[in-house]
Every structure is written in structure tokens, then in C-alpha cells.
Amino acid sequence: MSKKQIHNRKYLEAYRKDLRNNGTSAEAFLWRYLQKSQLKGRKFRRQHSIGNYIVDFYCPKEKLIIELDGEIHNNPRTNQYDEQRTKYLNSLGFVVIRFENKIVFDHLPSVLKEINDNFNK
């Protein structure tokens, strides 16, 4: 029996591409430091889907997901959705770390250190 595909399901392809082409400025900024295996040789993917969710950044080797949160995440309904989503991803063995967009711009070295600290050395 084949394992059910959870990565990059075909029906989400156009949406993933749209998100990659129209990402936030914080995503574009952080991507400059994650792309081309710049951070400790780890390869990251942008707007990668796992199950029915599309994550901002995903490192397959580490099973690490990085989410960047803008203003829209500052309300109870979105917080509840984010919690449910994180619980699902954790149940599949993924680690999810989140940063506010402002933190990415204002404290990039700390953000990169926290990402690095989540690598399995």
C-alpha cells in the first residue's frame, strides 16, 4: 500500500506559486538568508505544502517549519487556526517555530540563531 502523499499536493500548486510570487516583505527578507543552503548548509523550501496547509519555509532534513506572522495573526480566530495547524504539523513529527514579521527585520541575528538552535546538530 502506498503512503498517502502529504507534501506538495497537486491541487495546492497554483496557490503555492501565487504565495511565492506575492510573499510578504518579511518572507522575502528572511529568504535571502535561508536560500541556497546558506544557513549551516540546510536546504529550505518556500511556500511548501504539508497536508492541506502551506507553510512559509520548510527544511526537509530537519523537519523544521518556520512561520512568519503579520498583523492578521493578532486576533483570536487566527490564533486558534494557527494552534490547530501547529498541532496537526507537530503530530506528523514536524517542529514549528514562529516569528513576528517585525522581529525578522529588527532582530535578524536572533532569528537566525533560533532557527539554527532548532537543527539536530
Side-chain angles (χ1 to χ4, degrees):
M1 179 179 247
S2 70
K3 190 175 173 186
K4 186 178 175 187
Q5 181 181 346
I6 63 165
H7 292 276
N8 288 335
R9 291 179 176 166
K10 193 73 176 161
Y11 78 95
L12 290 170
E13 187 174 12
Y15 190 47
R16 287 193 313 269
K17 187 175 182 179
D18 183 56
L19 287 171
R20 268 193 304 274
N21 292 333
N22 299 295
T24 66
S25 56
E27 289 170 5
F29 182 73
L30 182 58
W31 180 240
R32 282 187 260 165
Y33 297 89
L34 298 179
Q35 68 184 348
K36 300 176 186 163
S37 303
Q38 291 180 77
L39 189 61
K40 300 289 187 192
R42 300 318 198 271
K43 179 170 178 55
F44 281 86
R45 297 182 178 149
R46 283 186 311 152
Q47 304 304 338
H48 179 88
S49 69
I50 300 171
N52 296 322
Y53 299 108
I54 298 175
V55 301
D56 292 333
F57 301 100
Y58 171 60
C59 178
K61 180 178 180 174
E62 300 293 343
K63 291 189 85 171
L64 178 65
I65 294 166
I66 301 167
E67 288 291 301
L68 301 186
D69 297 338
E71 286 298 313
I72 194 166
H73 293 268
N74 293 336
N75 73 63
R77 172 171 269 155
T78 307
N79 281 337
Q80 185 177 16
Y81 173 81
D82 287 344
E83 261 181 50
Q84 174 187 346
R85 185 174 188 257
T86 297
K87 222 179 259 184
Y88 168 77
L89 293 166
N90 290 159
S91 77
L92 296 175
F94 297 99
V95 172
V96 180
I97 55 177
R98 307 185 89 82
F99 300 100
E100 288 182 30
N101 289 346
K102 184 175 175 10
I103 298 295
V104 172
F105 291 115
D106 295 347
H107 302 287
L108 179 67
S110 298
V111 168
L112 295 175
K113 182 183 181 325
E114 185 170 339
I115 294 168
N116 184 50
D117 289 348
N118 276 277
F119 291 159
N120 298 311
K121 307 300 179 216

